[in-house]
Amino acid sequence: GRRERGQSCPCPEVRTRLPVLRWLPRYSLAWLQLDLIAGLTVGLTVVPQALAYAEVAGLPLQYGLYSSFMGCFVYCFLGTAKDVTLGPTAIMSLLVSSYTFHEPVYAILLAFLSGCIQLAMGLLHLGFLLDFISCPVIKGFTSAASVTISFNQIKNILGLQGIPRQFFLQVYETLRRIRETRAGDAILGLACLAALAGLQAMKSRLPRAACVEPLAARVSYLIVWTSATARNALVVLFAGLVAYSFQVMGSQPLTLTGSIPRGLPAFRLPRFSMAAPNGTIPFRSMVEDMGVGLAVVPLMGLLETVAIAKAFASQNNYRIDPNQELLAMGFANILGSFVSSYPITGSFGRTAVNAQSGVCTPAGGLVTGTLVLLSLAYLTSLFYYIPKAALAAVIISAVVPLFDAGIFRTLWRVKRLDLVPLCVTFLLCFWEVQYGIVAGVLVSGILLLYSIARPPIKVLEGDVLLLQPGSSLHFPAIECLRDAVCSHALAASPPRSIILDCRHISSIDYTVVVGLAELLQELRKHGLSLAFCSLQDPVLQVLLSADLEGFQHFPSWEEAERCGGADPGCGGAAPFTSTSESSLLPA
C-alpha cells in the first residue's frame, strides 16, 4: 500500500548502518576487475604475514590464518573505507602476546571481549573522541610506519633469520649480520622492487587511450594498464614460478613461505573457562589475568584502524565514519572469536597494498577472505613456493610512497607549532607505534588546551582602552583575561577604563562569569569601569542572568568609546542597562 503521510523512510538509517548499500547498487564490471586484482594481491600477502604474526603472538601458526578472513567479510558490509583491510598485525600480535600468556583460549576470549567494548563504543557514538587525532599526528604515524614497515622487510629481502621486531634492535642486528645475506633472496628481492617501481612509473605516465584510436592501440593500452595495476600479483606469481623452478632442479637458494596447516576452524562460542593442571580457571580469573589488556587492546586496535582509515581517506578524498568503524571492528572481533581468531585491527601494510592495487570498494575483502579460506582448506601447497623476498618487495613498494617528507617543510611554513606533535609521534613510533600515536594525541591536546587558556587579546589605545579577545572564553582563559585587563588599565597613565569588545566570543561558562564579576569589583576599587560591547545574544543572556553588579554594555565599541566607556553621565547612546531580562531569557 501507499506509505502514510508523515511516515519517514527507514532507508537512510539502513544505509548508514550498512555502508555496503551505498556502493553495491552502483557496482560495475570495471570495479569487479580491480577488486579481484586487489583482493588476490592482498590475499597472497596476508597468508605468510598471518603465519609470522601468529609466531609474534606466541600462538600456533594456524591461528594467524584463523584471524585473517572474518574481518575481511565483516568489513565488506560494515566498513566505510574502501582501502582498509582488517586482520592480524604486528602491533596487535605483540599486545596479544603480552596479555594472553601464549594461550589460545585467552587470545580468543580477548578478541570477544575487545569486540564487545568496541561495539558498545560505536552504539554510544563515542567515535567523536577520535576527532582529536590531528593531521600532524596522522602524518607522523604514517611516515614512521612507512619507515618501520619497510625496514622490517629488509630482513626478508636479505634472507636473514632471527632479527628482533623492535626497530632500533632491528637496525642494529641487520647491520651487524649484513654479511650473512643470502644472494638468492637479495637478487630476487631487488629485482621485484625494480619491477614494481618500473610498472608503477609506467602506469603513472601511461596516456589515456582515446576511443578514436586504432583497435591495436586500445588493446595495447589495456594490456599495459592491467599489467601495471596488477603488478603486485604478477610479481608474486613470477617469483613463485622462479622458486618452483629451482625446487624442480633440486636446489633452492630462496627463502620460501613454507607449508601451511590445512583445515577450517570450527564455528563455536569462545570458551569462558580453561582447564589447568590443578583445576579449571573460571571466567572471572581469566579477566583478572588479562587486566589492563582489556582496555589497551580494544583502544589501540581502534586507534590504529581509524588512523589508517583517516590517512587513506585523506589521500583518496573520501570521508569515514568513526562510529561505523567502531561497529565494524566490534562485529569483526566478536564474530572472529567464533572461528578462533585473536584480536584484529586495520593493517597498515596490507591496506597500502590494497590501495596500490587499485581497489574500488570493500568487496576486495571478500576475495581476500575467500583466498584465506581456500588456502586453509585446499591450496596450502600453492603458497608453499612464494618467496618471502617477493612479498617483502610488494610491501615496501606499497608503503614507501606514504612517507611524506614535504609535511615537515609545509608545517614549518604554515604553523611551526604543529611540528611538535608531528615530531613526537614520528620519533616515538620507532619505539612502539601505540606510544607514538598516544603521545601525539596528548601533545595535540595540550596545544589545543593552551590555545583555549591563552586566547589572543588585541589591545587598542585611546581615551579608553579597547581589549578584543580573539576567541570564546572558557574557564582556563579567565585568569589570562583578568591579567591583561588589570595590567593595561592600571599601568596606563593616568589609569583608564576598559571596553571589552566581545564580537568573537560565542560562548562563556560559569567560571568566566565569576571571574568577570571579580574583575568588575577589582576595577571599581580603583575608580575604573569595565564596559562590554558587541555581545552576541547567547553570551548576553548568560551575563544578564548572572545579574553582575555594574554590568553595562553597548551595541558597538564606537558608541562605548564616544560615551567614555561605562560613564553613566554619557549624553550619547546609553548602555542597554534598561533591557528587560525577561525578553532575553527563555520562558
Side-chain angles (χ1 to χ4, degrees), residues 376-391:
L376 278 168
Y378 307 110
L379 304 178
T380 52
S381 58
L382 296 181
F383 293 104
Y384 179 91
Y385 297 102
I386 299 175
K388 291 186 177 181
L391 293 171

Side-chain angles (χ1 to χ4, degrees), residues 322-380:
N323 291 312
Q324 188 62 35
E325 292 296 302
L326 275 165
L327 294 176
M329 286 279 296
F331 276 113
N333 275 311
I334 291 173
L335 293 177
S337 67
F338 284 64
V339 291
S340 302
S341 166
Y342 66 82
I344 61 174
T345 182
S347 167
F348 190 93
R350 294 193 297 275
T351 297
V353 170
N354 207 22
Q356 290 286 315
S357 298
V359 71
C360 292
T361 70
L366 297 178
V367 181
T368 301
T370 302
L371 193 58
V372 174
L373 288 176
L374 289 175
S375 71
L376 278 168
Y378 307 110
L379 304 178
T380 52

Side-chain angles (χ1 to χ4, degrees), residues 192-271:
C192 290
L193 278 174
L196 289 168
L199 289 170
Q200 170 63 22
M202 184 186 302
K203 182 180 180 182
S204 62
R205 292 172 172 79
L206 186 65
R208 183 74 181 178
C211 296
V212 295
E213 301 239 357
L215 178 61
R218 282 182 286 161
V219 171
S220 300
Y221 168 83
L222 181 61
I223 293 174
V224 174
W225 181 87
T226 303
S227 301
T229 303
R231 59 189 177 277
N232 293 327
L234 287 177
V235 166
V236 169
L237 178 62
F238 172 77
L241 291 174
V242 171
Y244 179 76
S245 300
F246 279 116
Q247 194 80 7
V248 170
M249 292 188 296
S251 64
Q252 188 54 267
L254 305 173
T255 304
L256 305 181
T257 298
S259 60
I260 301 170
R262 180 177 297 182
L264 299 178
F267 189 85
R268 61 189 178 191
L269 275 171
R271 291 163 56 186

